Amino acid sequence: MRPDRLVISAWGPYKDRAEIDFRDFQGEGLFLITGATGAGKTTIFDAITYALYGALSGQMREKGTVRSDFAAGDVPAFVELTMTHCGKEYRILRNPEYLRPKKKKNGKSEWTKEKENAVLYLPEGQIIEGVREVGAKLSELLVLDYYQFKQISMLAQGEFSRMLTASAKEKISIFREIFGTGIYEKFTQILRGRASDLYVRAAEQKHKLEEDVKLLLSAVEENSAQGRALQELTEGEHWNYGAIQECLSGWQMGLQEQMQENALLYESLDNKTHELTEELAKGQEINRKLEQWNETCRKLQELLDKKEDYLEKEETLKRASLAAAAQTKEIIWQSFCDQAKRVERALADLEQEKQKLRSERERLQVYSVNREQIEAGLLLWEQVKKTESDLAQCHRQVCEMESRYQQEQRTYLALEMQRDETKRAYEEADRAYKHAVIGLAAKLLIPGSPCPVCGSKDHPQPAAPAEGILSEEQLHSLQKELEQKEQLLLSQQQRVVELQTRYHSLQQQEESLGTQLKHLELAYGEKESLLSEKQVVLGELTNAKLRELLQEFDRVSGLLQSKDQEWQKNTEQQKVLGLQIAQSRSVFEDALKEFDFQGEEAYHRSLLSVTERSELERQITQYKERVAGCINLKEHLEAETAGWQPVALEDTQTALQQARTQKEQTRELQEQTSSLADAVCRTLASMKDKQKILEKISEEYGYVKDLDNLASGNNRRKLVFEQYVLVGYFEEILRAANLRFSRMTGGRYEMWRMEEASDGRSKDSLEIEVMDYYTGKRRSVKTLSGGESFKASLSLALGLRDVIQATSGGIQVDAMFVDEGFGALDSESLDQACETLQSLAEPGQMIGIISHVQELRERIHRQILVEKTNQGSRIRV
């Protein structure tokens, strides 16, 4: 990367646009950026760094503070860098975040924030915009990150000397940023975490293994021999897993032998229990049969004692059945009686309805009888209403016509006045014109020509023309205006006459309608009085209402006729039902005599419902079945138990209970033994599996822990892994630095890395000491003088630059800037420093020194001068 042109605007002390063309210094080796302190030399350095990485070169400056306080509000703040990289030209435009004025509103100044932005113009014509996007693309192009670039190309003021006296911790931090060795620290942390994880897993596996044994011990009685033996083996912190497994194996074999013995004893007790159970069941069956025979005899006797009661129930059921047969006849008779009552109620209801209908018919009949008179009255009423409407409309037309007639008459009078005025004006103008004809003729006389009136050629006193006389054209125009107004007046007169005629016609029509209305109202009043005498209020009726009343009269008349027919039908039915009631009553009374009932009271006492008869019949049938069943069972049991005697079962039951108890105890003992044997087997198998896993984890932990100790600095050299890598970089940096440091000090000094830690407790191995060949001894770099320290710092910075370029794929940076630090050198040292820097300037490269030292201005002829004023700084090349 080589900068070609730099443009800065409103940047630091530069109030306006400033431009530097670095192509003027290519091939010249060293050039100097000089000026007074605070003039803005380092600002150029900052501008290049900001254009490339969006950050400033030094640690004391912030990019949010770079906008010039000298700049006007409308001057934009930005940096534009044109550079050549790998033979191609790139242009970068970048601005920081700052406040700028925006358009004024209501005469007030307002400010808005201009956001940070970056634009990259690629050689192919492509454009990339955005802070992140441009930063990513430049990092890809340059390969170097911000920290590496600062060490290679931008040796910032006060920072390149920081590495010389920095502590080991600070050096590690610096080198980690430059060489990206944080990965080794992460690797060390991974090893540490892996070792810790394996240690925890091993401890957990050991705990699980021992927990299984402890659970087994908690389930074993403390006074058992096996439990005591296992307890002794598990006492203490470190267990003998082999001895514990042998103890568990022996215990397992003993439990299996005990289970076989228990199985034989359980089988013997099971056979004995089966025999006693069969003997007890046989005795219980004999005793049950004998007890059943006794119980059957008792139940049979109880049933026989109830025989009289059931005979009475049979008689009651017989009488209830006869009463049920007679009840059917009663039901027929009663149904006829109920029908007769319903018919009687229906006749009464019909009589009431007929009375209401007759009243309604009489009310409506007056409308039917006087229908023609009512319709004639309604027609008169409609004619009255229509005539009133026509009269009102005619009256409105008369009023409107009267208004129009008066308006047109006023218009006529106005036109007449205008015509009279125009007529008077015309007549006066015509008379004046005729009087002035002589003057007009005299006006036409020509000297020496004959007069058209007298023929004389002499005109001693021609008549003078009158003043203010209209011309013939004006008089003609006034005559035409008069004719137009007379025509308008004539037209208006015709309209007035026409309206007057129509007005008189409407008045006559209005009088005619008024007379007609009086005749109609008189006829309607007579008709209304006539109908009122017949109880008809004509004013409450309309044609529609009349039609409804007539329809209602027809409906009521038809309904009354229908009710008369229905009443006649029910009367005939009532007569028939009277005969049927008498006949059915006779049949019912004959049935009572046939079934030997002494009157209706005895009949009703014998009546039972269907449910009651069914229940009574069920009780009788059930009684007979139970008696027959008891007799049959008694005879069967007598035959089966002939010669049997009750059996005593107490001894058999006692023996069976004892056998069952022993059997249950044996079963429980077998289950306990089996459960314990399974627990011992599972514990032994689990212990073997978990011991294998524990051994595998422990083996892996040993390897990983050794690596962790090696990488974490727990080794003979007290070096952590990252420091070991950094030591290699550091020694290469020192070798590269000594090539220049030795030459600048005349071969007196070399920088060496301290081989031993500064104290026994520290893992520090990045401290620097100098070998003084004048004394043959090593000493701390802090003992160097100011000029010697500058030489050492510059050599160290240049050595670091060489190593970074080598480790970054041999990247060639064609420009380098060194900021200040030369003020502490004497004349000879200054020559040596310049010579060293000049040696770095290969063809096509340039090295810029930023300094205000006067001696450098005398030694370096190519210069950029930064002038400081109270209005801001400016650049001169």
Side-chain angles (χ1 to χ4, degrees), residues 164-177:
L164 183 67
T165 57
S167 64
K169 186 175 182 181
E170 291 175 328
K171 291 188 182 74
I172 291 173
S173 177
I174 295 170
F175 290 158
R176 182 179 293 156
E177 292 176 349

Side-chain angles (χ1 to χ4, degrees), residues 344-438:
E344 185 176 357
R345 286 195 298 271
L347 287 171
D349 293 340
L350 284 171
E351 188 61 35
Q352 292 180 359
E353 292 178 4
K354 286 170 62 181
Q355 184 61 35
K356 291 180 181 179
L357 290 172
R358 281 194 291 268
S359 299
E360 183 66 14
R361 186 175 181 278
E362 289 176 0
R363 186 183 69 82
L364 297 172
Q365 190 173 11
V366 65
Y367 298 105
S368 178
V369 172
N370 299 291
R371 178 175 183 176
E372 294 181 358
Q373 295 292 333
I374 294 171
E375 289 177 346
L378 292 174
L379 179 59
L380 284 172
W381 178 250
E382 290 178 356
Q383 291 174 351
V384 167
K385 289 298 182 183
K386 184 177 184 306
T387 304
E388 287 179 347
S389 176
D390 293 343
L391 180 60
Q393 184 177 2
C394 183
H395 179 71
R396 287 194 298 271
Q397 292 176 350
V398 168
C399 294
E400 291 175 359
M401 188 59 66
E402 181 181 8
S403 177
R404 287 181 60 191
Y405 171 70
Q406 292 174 354
Q407 178 66 31
E408 293 296 332
Q409 194 173 28
R410 286 193 294 270
T411 303
Y412 173 78
L413 293 175
L415 290 173
E416 187 178 29
M417 290 177 64
Q418 293 176 6
R419 190 278 315 268
D420 292 344
E421 290 177 359
T422 305
K423 185 177 181 181
R424 284 194 300 271
Y426 172 71
E427 289 175 349
E428 290 175 359
D430 184 58
R431 284 194 301 270
Y433 181 79
K434 288 177 179 180
H435 293 161
V437 169
I438 297 173

Side-chain angles (χ1 to χ4, degrees), residues 61-244:
R61 294 178 292 277
E62 297 179 359
K63 60 184 179 181
T65 63
V66 297
R67 177 170 173 80
S68 176
D69 293 333
F70 296 106
D74 58 348
V75 177
F78 66 87
V79 171
E80 181 180 355
L81 175 66
T82 303
M83 68 175 186
T84 299
H85 181 69
C86 297
K88 296 181 180 180
E89 184 177 276
Y90 298 85
R91 185 164 65 92
I92 309 160
L93 181 64
R94 195 188 291 263
N95 67 271
E97 183 179 279
Y98 65 93
L99 293 177
R100 62 172 176 80
K102 64 179 183 178
K103 295 181 179 179
K104 295 183 179 181
K105 294 182 180 180
N106 300 324
K108 297 181 179 179
S109 297
E110 296 184 8
W111 294 83
T112 185
K113 183 179 288 186
E114 181 75 20
K115 293 184 178 180
E116 184 176 10
N117 192 26
V119 182
L120 174 62
Y121 298 88
L122 300 177
E124 298 81 4
Q126 296 176 328
I127 299 175
I128 299 175
E129 185 172 1
V131 175
R132 292 185 179 178
E133 292 78 0
V134 171
K137 183 63 177 179
L138 286 172
S139 295
E140 178 185 344
L141 289 171
L142 299 176
V143 183
L144 302 171
D145 60 22
Y146 168 66
Y147 298 102
Q148 293 173 330
F149 180 78
K150 280 175 51 178
Q151 298 299 327
I152 292 178
S153 188
M154 295 285 178
L155 304 183
Q157 180 177 355
E159 291 192 19
F160 70 92
S161 61
R162 182 161 58 95
M163 191 180 301
L164 183 67
T165 57
S167 64
K169 186 175 182 181
E170 291 175 328
K171 291 188 182 74
I172 291 173
S173 177
I174 295 170
F175 290 158
R176 182 179 293 156
E177 292 176 349
I178 295 173
F179 297 110
T181 58
I183 187 174
Y184 302 107
E185 173 64 20
K186 292 180 181 178
F187 177 70
T188 302
Q189 293 175 358
I190 292 172
L191 281 176
R192 186 179 301 112
R194 180 64 177 166
S196 176
D197 180 60
L198 289 171
Y199 179 80
V200 171
R201 286 176 56 194
E204 289 176 352
Q205 195 66 24
K206 182 174 180 294
H207 175 74
K208 290 179 182 179
L209 185 151
E210 296 177 356
E211 186 67 20
D212 291 342
V213 179
K214 290 178 181 178
L215 288 173
L216 179 63
L217 285 173
S218 65
V220 179
E221 297 181 1
E222 296 180 357
N223 56 358
S224 64
Q226 296 86 350
R228 288 194 298 274
L230 187 60
Q231 184 68 39
E232 291 176 359
L233 290 173
T234 56
E235 291 178 351
E237 182 177 355
H238 302 287
W239 292 7
N240 187 341
Y241 296 137
I244 292 174

Side-chain angles (χ1 to χ4, degrees), residues 560-576:
L560 181 59
Q561 184 179 1
S562 175
K563 293 296 181 183
D564 287 337
Q565 293 174 357
E566 186 178 355
W567 187 86
Q568 184 65 33
K569 181 180 178 181
N570 284 338
T571 302
E572 292 175 357
Q573 186 180 4
Q574 189 178 34
K575 293 178 182 179
V576 173

